[in-house]
Amino acid sequence: IVFTDASGLLRRNAVRALMSNFADEDVGCVSGVIRSPGRPGVDRSMGLYRRHENFLRRCESRIHSSVGATGALFAVRRELVRPLEPDTILDDLAIPLEVIRRGRRAVIEPEAVCLEQEATGGSREFMRKVRTLAGNYQAFSRAPGVLVPFAGPVWLMALSHKILRLLSPFLLVAFGVLSAIWAAGGGGTVAVALVLTQAAVYGLAACGAVLQRTVLCHLYTFVVLQAAAAAAPFKFFLRRTSVLWPCGSVEVKGNA
């Protein structure tokens, strides 16, 4: 069964590339990759983030399984697909985790490409990432065994890739507070340098939201993603996360 998005364009032979992986009986889920037209500013920075995400997933796939799939394009053996709970936020995380739990692998196929336009602007991407990260909380709360050390094949990848990402904004805040306390308590040049460096990074990120320069936009996008990760647990625990994907009106141009 192949899953895809209404807003994506599949490249020729994308589905065929997915299917080739099922020759291996151990493979239960195969994910494609998303590519987007290059655009300046925040959208280009999100493209850089997505390429990094694809790189991590390919590395996980080589070890055993990717923790999650690309929602715009993935395929699963029919016998492994079970009806999802109606309130499921991320089917592209819940389904691969179920596949892995049942003893099969979830792999990445880089030749299965879906073209999809990035979200336009930081505010729209913020809303989408809040929903996605809230879905991470939901998926792991329903499959807690995945995170038990040495109990499964992907526990370390799930902790390092997914859980640390959820914790990163809180770790950054703690680092900032401790640096300030250290500097105020006479920590010397190193402590002051840490505080000034952090202030400079956040200041330049704010400039990136206005100036739309490439390097500054990368910093701005980083801060947007951290803010989304900080907001996600509140959205999830307050049950204010919609199961609907907030894609809005998305236009994709290019030769599929």
Side-chain angles (χ1 to χ4, degrees):
I1 298 179
V2 178
F3 297 80
T4 187
D5 284 346
S7 58
L9 292 175
L10 306 188
R11 275 194 175 171
R12 185 175 298 169
N13 294 327
V15 175
R16 186 184 299 273
L18 288 179
M19 294 302 106
S20 65
N21 291 268
F22 290 113
D24 183 346
E25 291 295 328
D26 289 335
V27 173
C29 175
V30 185
S31 174
V33 297
I34 291 179
R35 293 182 185 170
S36 59
R39 295 177 58 175
V42 174
D43 294 337
R44 180 171 295 173
S45 294
M46 288 309 307
L48 178 64
Y49 164 78
R50 182 164 282 172
R51 289 194 295 274
H52 174 66
E53 181 75 8
N54 287 335
F55 170 74
L56 290 179
R57 289 180 176 181
R58 289 197 301 271
C59 292
E60 293 172 349
S61 179
R62 293 189 186 104
I63 296 171
H64 187 280
S65 293
S66 168
V67 185
T70 298
L73 179 60
F74 69 104
V76 186
R77 292 186 187 272
R78 182 185 298 272
E79 66 269 21
L80 298 177
V81 177
R82 293 182 176 180
L84 297 172
E85 296 292 334
D87 63 342
T88 300
I89 301 171
L90 294 182
D91 59 341
D92 54 359
L93 180 56
I95 293 175
L97 288 179
E98 173 65 13
V99 167
I100 295 168
R101 189 191 67 81
R102 296 176 67 180
R104 301 293 185 94
R105 296 175 61 214
V107 302
I108 299 295
E109 175 49 67
E111 297 302 318
V113 176
C114 178
L115 300 179
E116 192 171 67
Q117 184 62 63
E118 302 290 347
T120 54
S123 59
R124 182 180 290 272
E125 188 58 41
F126 172 79
M127 292 187 292
R128 289 175 61 166
K129 291 306 296 182
V130 169
R131 175 191 174 278
T132 298
L133 295 172
N136 278 252
Y137 281 95
Q138 182 191 67
F140 287 114
S141 68
R142 293 178 176 179
V146 174
L147 302 174
V148 177
F150 305 104
V154 298
W155 68 272
L156 183 58
M157 292 180 284
L159 286 171
S160 62
H161 184 178
K162 297 294 186 178
I163 302 304
L164 282 180
R165 175 177 297 171
L166 297 176
L167 296 177
S168 61
F170 307 106
L171 295 175
L172 286 171
V173 169
F175 180 62
V177 171
L178 291 174
S179 298
I181 293 173
W182 186 23
T189 305
V190 175
V192 173
L194 283 176
V195 172
L196 293 178
T197 300
Q198 292 173 76
V201 167
Y202 295 125
L204 291 173
C207 293
V210 178
L211 300 178
Q212 295 291 299
R213 302 294 183 184
T214 301
V215 175
L216 298 181
C217 281
H218 291 338
L219 293 175
Y220 172 62
T221 300
F222 173 78
V223 172
V224 168
L225 294 176
Q226 298 308 314
F234 300 100
K235 278 281 188 178
F236 171 65
F237 290 113
L238 293 175
R239 300 186 181 279
R240 295 182 178 178
T241 306
S242 172
V243 299
L244 301 179
W245 184 245
C247 61
S249 176
V250 179
E251 179 183 4
V252 180
K253 295 182 180 180
N255 182 10

